[in-house]
C-alpha cells in the first residue's frame, strides 16, 4: 500500500501542481473512517492551503464545517469521477497495475 501511495503521490504532485502530500489512513470509526475497507487518502497540499498546517486533521475528523463530503459541496457524478480516474490511470503502465 505504501509503495502504491508513493507512486500515486508522485503523479498527484506533478499533475495537480502541488508541493507536498498528506497521506492518511483512518482505521476505525473513531479515527474518522467512513467506509468499511482499508484505503489511503493521498491529499495534494500547497503553501497556505490551511492557515495552521495541522488543521487538515480537524478537517478530516469532521470538526470543521467545510469538508470534502459536506452537504454544501455538490457531489461529483459517477461520470465525473470516472473521467478523472481514467485520466489518472493513464499515468500508470498496464504492466504495473
Amino acid at each position: 500500500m505504501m509503495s502504491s501511495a508513493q507512486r500515486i503521490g508522485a503523479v498527484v504532485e506533478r499533475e495537480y501542481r502541488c508541493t507536498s502530500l498528506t497521506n492518511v489512513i483512518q482505521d476505525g470509526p473513531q479515527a474518522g473512517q467512513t467506509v468499511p475497507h482499508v484505503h489511503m487518502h493521498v491529499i495534494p497540499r500547497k503553501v497556505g492551503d490551511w492557515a495552521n498546517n495541522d488543521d487538515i486533521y480537524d478537517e478530516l475528523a469532521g470538526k470543521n464545517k467545510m469538508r470534502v463530503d459536506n452537504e454544501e459541496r455538490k457531489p461529483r457524478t459517477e461520470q465525473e469521477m470516472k473521467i478523472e480516474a481514467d485520466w489518472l490511470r493513464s499515468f500508470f503502465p498496464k504492466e504495473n497495475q
Side-chain angles (χ1 to χ4, degrees):
M1 181 185 287
M2 294 306 292
S3 19
S4 293
Q6 288 176 322
R7 288 181 55 230
I8 292 164
V11 170
V12 168
E13 283 184 311
R14 183 183 71 233
E15 297 303 318
Y16 288 95
R17 295 183 181 100
C18 63
T19 55
S20 300
L21 300 168
T22 294
N23 294 308
V24 180
I25 299 172
Q26 296 164 297
D27 187 13
Q30 289 70 39
Q33 182 180 14
T34 58
V35 293
H37 63 264
V38 67
H39 63 281
M40 178 179 282
H41 298 264
V42 179
I43 304 169
R45 301 291 306 271
K46 294 181 180 180
V47 172
D49 54 4
W50 272 271
N52 174 6
N53 193 44
D54 286 342
D55 287 348
I56 189 171
Y57 299 109
D58 287 339
E59 186 94 5
L60 290 169
K63 294 177 183 174
N64 295 333
K65 185 177 180 183
M66 293 306 295
R67 294 188 45 156
V68 171
D69 58 354
N70 77 50
E71 292 178 12
E72 295 177 17
R73 178 182 172 270
K74 181 183 173 204
R76 295 188 303 160
T77 66
E78 295 254 345
Q79 182 62 22
E80 289 169 325
M81 290 187 284
K82 181 182 183 325
I83 289 168
E84 184 179 32
D86 289 345
W87 170 67
L88 289 169
R89 191 175 292 112
S90 73
F91 297 105
F92 302 94
K94 282 229 183 256
E95 65 272 5
N96 293 324
Q97 293 183 18

